Each structure stands twice: as structure tokens, then as C-alpha cells.
Amino acid sequence: MENRVFYLALGDSLTEGVGASEQNKSFTAHFFHAIKQTNECQYMNFGKSARCSGELLESLAESNMRNLLKRATHITITTGGNDMIRAYRNNATFLEYVRTVRSLEQNLKRILQLITQTNPNSKTFLMGLYNPGSTDHSLYKMANLLIQRINANL
């Protein structure tokens, strides 16, 4: 069917819609409304609050999710903020934070690779990373630089 849209929203609390006044006001609901062409179009939201990139990657390996990925025409991904939030909350050292960001970057590459291998025809949108730390934190400036690098490379 030419006008079939099957949209999968993958990620963390941003995808889930936390912070939106209503579920139909989330960015994923708005995105679906923008791409929806007929009443037969479908939208499934797999956002989960506090999910880290490694947890998202693991969920994509499940057979049910692989079947959904094969059918998807559009995919959005929000992940990574919780990886960095956990590092901030654990008072990570500079080296530990760099390791966290490197691991996040590898997870993002694997997520995109898995989606592309499973369904090379889907339109996949990885939402840019942001810095969840406070501006007075000792890691904040370095985190901004690392996040900019990841956003530029993916």
C-alpha cells in the first residue's frame, strides 16, 4: 500500500511523552500527525522513562521488536540523556564520564546499524543529544564538547 505509514517511536522519557501536558501533545504524536496519510496508518510508542542507550539496544534484539522494525516506514529515536544523567548522579570522574560517552556513542552506532540491517528502507530519525547537567558542574563544558562531536558524527 503506497500511503501506508507504520511509525515506531523508540527511546526514553522524551519519546514516552513525559512533560507533555497530554499524550497527544508529545513530539511523537505531533510527528505521527504530520506523516499520517490515511486512517490505516499506525503509530506505536516504545518510549520508557529512564531508559539508557544500552537498554534500548537490548530491546531491539527481541524478536517481537525485530518484526516491528521490519514493518516500520518511519522510526524516531531518543536516547542518551539518561546515560549522562546517571554519570552525573554517580559523580563520575572525568575519565569515567569519557567512558560513558564513548559507550553511548558505540550504542548509538549499533542501534542505527541494527535498524538499517533489519529495515534499510525505513526513514530513521535520531534526535540529537543534549547535556542534562547543570552549568556549574565540573563536567558540563567537557560534556558539551563530547555531545557536539557525537551529534556531528551520527
Side-chain angles (χ1 to χ4, degrees):
M1 182 187 314
E2 193 169 313
N3 290 330
R4 179 189 67 89
V5 168
F6 183 61
Y7 167 39
L8 288 181
L10 307 172
D12 53 25
S13 59
L14 297 173
T15 293
E16 184 179 16
V18 172
S21 58
E22 298 172 31
Q23 208 51 33
N24 66 348
K25 303 237 187 238
S26 68
F27 94 85
T28 57
H30 282 287
F31 183 75
F32 179 62
H33 181 71
I35 63 173
K36 181 179 172 183
Q37 298 171 0
T38 68
N39 288 335
E40 289 78 35
C41 296
Q42 291 181 295
Y43 156 52
M44 296 181 79
N45 188 323
F46 288 94
K48 184 176 177 188
S49 192
R51 178 185 279 159
C52 287
S53 62
E55 295 163 337
L56 176 59
L57 179 61
E58 286 176 18
S59 75
L60 297 181
E62 297 170 8
S63 62
N64 182 45
M65 184 58 74
R66 294 291 277 253
N67 290 332
L68 292 173
L69 288 172
K70 288 176 185 177
R71 295 178 42 215
T73 59
H74 296 75
I75 300 169
T76 57
I77 304 164
T78 62
T79 194
N82 290 305
D83 297 65
M84 293 182 278
I85 288 170
R86 287 182 187 176
Y88 276 116
R89 285 188 183 151
N90 292 333
N91 293 314
T93 65
F94 178 83
L95 186 56
E96 290 168 335
Y97 196 81
V98 169
R99 284 188 200 129
T100 296
V101 173
R102 283 187 181 150
S103 175
L104 166 59
E105 187 172 21
Q106 290 304 309
N107 287 341
L108 289 170
K109 287 178 181 178
R110 288 185 197 125
I111 288 166
L112 292 172
Q113 182 181 40
L114 192 147
I115 290 171
T116 302
Q117 288 172 346
T118 304
N119 184 346
N121 298 316
S122 70
K123 293 179 175 98
T124 303
F125 304 91
L126 175 63
M127 306 305 173
L129 295 174
Y130 66 97
N131 189 343
S134 62
T135 55
D136 61 344
H137 195 283
S138 61
L139 296 173
Y140 186 82
K141 288 182 182 178
M142 187 267 304
N144 273 346
L145 294 173
L146 294 171
I147 291 166
Q148 288 172 10
R149 184 182 67 114
I150 292 173
N151 283 336
N153 290 332
L154 295 177

